[in-house]
Amino acid sequence: MDYRTRWPAARLLVAAVALLFTVSAVAIASLAIALSTLSDARHTLLDRIAPARDAVLGIDTAVINQETGVRGYLLSANRAFLEPYEAGLADEWNAVEDTRRLVVPMRPDLADEIDALTLLSERWRSEYARPLIASVDSSGSPEAQPAGSLLGKELFDQLRTAINSLVGQLDGDAAAARTDLDDVARDVVWLLVGLGALLVVIISGIAVVLYRILIAPLSGLAADVRQVSTGDFAHEVRAGGPREVVMLGQDVEAMRSRILSDVKDLQRSNSELEQFAYVASHDLQEPLRKVASFCQLLERRYSGQLDDRGEQYLRFAVDGAKRMQVLINDLLAFSRVGRITREQTLVDCDVLVEQVMDSYSEVIERTGATVEAGELPTVLGEESLLGGVFGNLVSNALKFRGEEPPHVSITAERTGDLWTFTVKDNGIGIDTEYAERIFVIFQRLHHKDDYPGTGIGLAMCRKIIEYHGGTIWLDTTEDTGTTFRFTLPAVEDDEQ
């Protein structure tokens, strides 16, 4: 699919964020409306109905104080008992004004009842309270059974009934407002639950969509890249999702195709090189074998007929031909390291070192050498190549020995993710200035007549160790003998 027809990742992210923002805005607006309705219901109950009811109860308290003051004055003829009556008049006036101010805007239909209440209160005072107060004032004596007591009681009961009726209607309004408040609060709770669930669903949906259109394609592309990076260049890279991922996948696929083409060319070149190496080694060794064979025939046939110099020349020729054969074989082995690979397996280094010691048993016995090996680990690699490393190092320790019988120590120590192997001997040692030179191919520190060899052994060791992911070096901190150290990747227990 053409990447130009796909949305870029930035647009997908903007669309997801815009959707989430829109849903969040709608949710916040709905919640704000619900909270406003809840606030209005609370305001109606607490700030309007409750104060209005308190104002009506204030009227009730004021008229009761007036009735109490009048009764006390009638029984005692003491003007001090009229103080509640006089204070009640002022309180009633204020309470009536508050009631009108609070109730009428909320309940205009109760304005007539408030007027009727004030008329009843005034009638009780004009027809009962004031005449009795004037009568006591004029007589100056108490009146235990004043005239008009029944009328006063009837008027006062009507006044209290009107007040209670008004209070009852406000109580009904309060109950209805409380019910509305509970309903609104319940609606707000359900709205919050619904909005929370909706947001969870939206966020989960966006996460799933982003995973399918962004994360999953990236994960698939990463898996394809990892598989190709392990050497599976035939694995095709396919990328989906946003435009950038598709473009990246196409770039990786193009790179994989180029690498695959280069690998095929390299394989063809390696095959040709391997064929050339075999042909060259055979073609080179065949005349060398003939030279050595005929020189030996000449030596046997004309033995005693040649002078010492002639026989020496024949020996030189035979020795040169044999050394050339060894050199060709070593070069061929050196060229194969890392180029001709076999499946790497778990190699028990304890067993490997025992095999090396068996192969050098004759030299060990002849030189009186002792080879000590500590507990060695199991590593992953090619057994034949690793055996060559131990063989080269042990052979060098036996070859470059000092006056005392050779002593070789092989140990291993875990350092992080690597095993560090140490091969130490008590031989003639190596100067620190040659610590790197000894790993260069064909570099010799001694004459071939003193110590035989082709000068390829340590170079071969370095190439094998680096092929296995490690390093090898000469430890220059030791004062006596020679100490080589090399590392190999550790193998965990679950891998074993």
Side-chain angles (χ1 to χ4, degrees), residues 70-92:
V70 169
R71 190 184 322 117
Y73 181 64
L74 293 179
L75 294 176
S76 64
N78 186 352
R79 294 291 298 184
F81 283 91
L82 282 179
E83 291 180 0
Y85 172 78
E86 294 172 351
L89 287 174
D91 292 341
E92 180 185 353

Side-chain angles (χ1 to χ4, degrees), residues 458-486:
L458 290 178
M460 177 81 76
C461 290
R462 168 170 281 186
K463 193 171 184 180
I464 293 173
I465 294 299
E466 291 179 350
Y467 166 67
H468 284 81
T471 55
I472 185 171
W473 67 96
L474 174 69
D475 189 347
T476 58
T477 61
E478 300 290 341
D479 295 332
T480 60
T482 303
T483 301
F484 285 99
R485 301 185 191 273
F486 63 90

Side-chain angles (χ1 to χ4, degrees), residues 55-224:
V56 175
L57 292 177
I59 297 174
D60 186 56
T61 301
V63 298
I64 290 175
N65 289 338
Q66 293 177 49
E67 193 273 337
T68 301
V70 169
R71 190 184 322 117
Y73 181 64
L74 293 179
L75 294 176
S76 64
N78 186 352
R79 294 291 298 184
F81 283 91
L82 282 179
E83 291 180 0
Y85 172 78
E86 294 172 351
L89 287 174
D91 292 341
E92 180 185 353
W93 186 86
N94 292 329
V96 169
E97 290 300 317
D98 290 341
T99 299
R100 290 182 187 278
R101 178 175 54 82
L102 295 172
V103 174
V104 174
M106 181 176 58
R107 290 287 301 275
D109 57 304
L110 297 180
D112 293 339
E113 293 191 22
I114 297 173
D115 293 339
L117 185 150
T118 57
L119 291 176
L120 286 173
S121 175
E122 182 59 31
R123 182 182 176 189
W124 174 78
R125 283 190 294 271
S126 63
E127 296 183 9
Y128 172 73
R130 291 193 188 101
L132 288 178
I133 293 172
S135 174
V136 172
D137 286 343
S138 61
S139 65
S141 59
E143 294 186 11
Q145 296 292 333
S149 297
L150 294 177
L151 176 62
K153 182 179 182 304
E154 181 181 353
L155 292 175
F156 193 76
D157 290 342
Q158 292 178 3
L159 175 60
R160 293 293 307 282
T161 300
I163 293 174
N164 290 334
S165 174
L166 187 58
V167 171
Q169 293 190 63
L170 292 177
D171 285 340
D173 292 344
R178 192 173 294 108
T179 301
D180 293 341
L181 181 61
D182 292 340
D183 293 341
V184 173
R186 184 172 58 254
D187 293 341
V188 169
V189 171
W190 282 110
L191 178 62
L192 287 174
V193 173
L195 291 177
L198 178 62
L199 286 176
V200 169
V201 171
I202 293 297
I203 293 174
S204 301
I206 292 176
V208 170
V209 171
L210 288 179
Y211 175 81
R212 292 179 63 87
I213 66 178
L214 187 61
I215 298 177
L218 283 175
S219 300
L221 178 60
D224 289 341

Side-chain angles (χ1 to χ4, degrees), residues 225-477:
V225 171
R226 282 195 297 270
Q227 186 167 350
V228 172
S229 65
T230 58
D232 186 7
F233 299 112
H235 179 73
E236 185 177 355
V237 178
R238 297 180 179 179
R243 181 183 303 171
E244 293 86 349
V245 179
V246 175
M247 294 174 62
L248 181 59
Q250 292 178 351
D251 292 340
V252 173
E253 173 63 17
M255 186 180 299
R256 182 198 66 83
S257 299
R258 290 195 297 270
I259 293 175
L260 182 60
S261 177
D262 294 340
V263 167
K264 290 180 179 178
D265 294 340
L266 183 60
Q267 290 175 343
R268 184 169 55 254
S269 176
N270 285 340
S271 177
E272 294 173 354
L273 181 61
E274 180 68 14
Q275 184 178 3
F276 169 78
Y278 275 112
V279 172
S281 63
H282 180 273
D283 291 347
L284 286 175
Q285 291 193 36
E286 181 61 25
L288 288 175
R289 282 194 295 268
K290 288 184 178 181
V291 170
S293 299
F294 282 106
C295 286
Q296 290 172 344
L297 288 175
L298 285 173
E299 184 179 13
R300 287 197 297 269
R301 183 166 183 174
Y302 296 101
S303 177
Q305 301 181 27
L306 297 175
D307 58 8
D308 293 339
R309 185 174 296 276
E311 293 181 355
Q312 183 182 25
Y313 289 163
L314 286 176
R315 289 196 297 272
F316 286 163
V318 172
D319 180 66
K322 290 182 177 179
R323 285 195 293 108
M324 179 62 74
Q325 288 178 325
V326 173
L327 181 61
I328 291 173
N329 289 328
D330 288 347
L331 280 174
L332 185 61
F334 182 81
S335 67
R336 288 175 177 173
V337 176
R339 185 166 54 85
I340 299 178
T341 60
R342 297 179 177 86
E343 181 182 0
Q344 293 192 354
T345 58
L346 293 175
V347 180
D348 189 342
C349 293
D350 285 323
V351 177
L352 191 62
V353 170
E354 289 180 3
Q355 294 173 354
V356 171
M357 292 170 61
D358 289 340
S359 64
Y360 286 96
S361 58
E362 188 274 331
V363 181
I364 292 175
E365 183 178 356
R366 175 167 47 82
T367 59
T370 56
V371 179
E372 296 180 353
E375 185 176 353
L376 303 179
T378 298
V379 296
L380 188 66
E382 294 187 24
E383 183 175 358
S384 60
L385 295 181
L386 294 179
V389 173
F390 285 106
N392 264 297
L393 296 180
V394 171
S395 174
N396 284 345
L398 299 176
K399 182 193 303 182
F400 300 101
R401 58 184 181 272
E403 296 179 356
E404 298 180 359
H407 177 79
V408 184
S409 172
I410 304 175
T411 58
E413 181 182 2
R414 179 73 177 263
T415 53
D417 295 333
L418 298 172
W419 281 105
T420 300
F421 293 82
T422 302
V423 180
K424 183 178 181 181
D425 63 50
N426 62 343
I428 62 176
I430 301 175
D431 290 340
T432 57
E433 61 179 304
Y434 303 118
E436 283 299 319
R437 179 182 171 184
I438 57 177
F439 293 104
V440 179
I441 191 170
F442 298 135
Q443 293 297 316
R444 300 174 54 90
L445 304 183
H446 306 278
H447 193 272
K448 61 181 178 63
D449 294 333
D450 297 332
Y451 296 98
T454 59
I456 297 179
L458 290 178
M460 177 81 76
C461 290
R462 168 170 281 186
K463 193 171 184 180
I464 293 173
I465 294 299
E466 291 179 350
Y467 166 67
H468 284 81
T471 55
I472 185 171
W473 67 96
L474 174 69
D475 189 347
T476 58
T477 61

Side-chain angles (χ1 to χ4, degrees), residues 16-31 194-203 206:
V17 171
L19 177 60
L20 183 61
F21 178 79
T22 301
V23 173
S24 300
V26 173
I28 292 173
S30 302
L31 183 61
L195 291 177
L198 178 62
L199 286 176
V200 169
V201 171
I202 293 297
I203 293 174
I206 292 176

